[in-house]
Amino acid sequence: MSKKNISQEKIIQAFIASAFDKSAGATSLADVSEGLEIKKASLYNHFESRDAMYEATMAYCAQEVSSIRFLEEKTLESIKGGKVAPAAVFKKLITRYFELFENEPLFQIYVFVHSEQYFNLEALKIVEGENNQICDSIKDILTAFVAAKKLAKKTEKELKDIAGEIAAVLIQHRDSYIAARKETVRQNPDSKAGGLFALPTDEAALGRTLKLVETMLKSL
């Protein structure tokens, strides 16, 4: 690959790919350059050090994760119309959310950030921001259903508490889903996007999540 075809973004993606297999701490500049099929010295045309590359990778991941939204604006509009039920809405949103982890690069980005949250404050902030976004989105959904009289009237505190409980279930199952999927991909390297085949959604794991959330909704 010629020098002119190498960008900071491609280097960052190569770093994330290597970190997926070896962990971020074990990934060297040589690993990154090997993945890009360039000389290690060429990396210094874009980053002054490995630390600078790592920091840029974290910033890149923060931007990518922040662009993902659990709640779609059109969902709130459909709820206001009074034509959809809570269970149906959550099923659609959770299924869509889990499907995000079927392929690269978002799957690898999530694995990178979730692995690094125990060693890096910025990674922890990314994870916390994503989790808070999910909780806020669920509260907005519940509030919309109350306004549409599809759920019994709740106080602001009750809505916040219920949203927190549902979000906690979703986050726990998401993290387990990512961890299990990571191991599956490692055992089947060709399952990555761009390989011979991509892994389908784990319907059993998704089904367990949906059933638990549906049970919680029925109690409201």
Side-chain angles (χ1 to χ4, degrees), residues 71-183:
L71 174 62
E72 297 178 299
E73 188 62 34
K74 63 182 181 181
T75 300
L76 292 180
E77 293 301 319
S78 66
I79 294 173
K80 291 177 182 178
K83 297 180 179 180
V84 291
V89 167
F90 276 95
K91 180 179 180 179
K92 181 177 180 180
L93 290 175
I94 292 172
T95 300
R96 168 182 163 274
Y97 187 64
F98 271 55
E99 286 176 349
L100 294 175
F101 308 114
E102 289 183 5
N103 299 300
E104 303 170 354
L106 189 60
F107 173 56
Q108 288 187 335
I109 288 173
Y110 265 82
V111 169
F112 177 82
V113 171
H114 280 255
S115 297
E116 289 301 292
Q117 67 175 308
Y118 305 105
F119 312 103
N120 183 280
L121 182 59
E122 290 305 312
L124 179 59
K125 289 179 179 178
I126 295 172
V127 173
E128 290 179 339
E130 169 71 358
N131 292 346
N132 289 336
Q133 181 263 132
I134 291 173
C135 188
D136 290 343
S137 294
I138 292 175
K139 181 177 178 294
D140 289 343
I141 295 169
L142 295 174
T143 300
F145 273 120
V146 169
K149 298 183 179 181
K150 291 288 186 177
L151 289 177
K153 190 174 181 180
K154 309 286 183 184
T155 66
E156 189 72 11
K157 183 180 184 304
E158 286 174 331
L159 287 171
K160 185 175 181 180
D161 290 344
I162 295 168
E165 292 171 2
I166 295 176
V169 168
L170 178 56
I171 289 166
Q172 180 184 8
H173 282 237
R174 176 204 63 192
D175 292 349
S176 296
Y177 187 84
I178 292 174
R181 200 167 189 79
K182 178 182 178 181
E183 186 60 29

Side-chain angles (χ1 to χ4, degrees), residues 5-19:
N5 290 326
I6 295 299
S7 64
Q8 285 193 353
E9 183 173 357
K10 287 183 178 179
I11 293 172
I12 286 170
Q13 290 171 346
F15 186 92
I16 294 172
S18 179

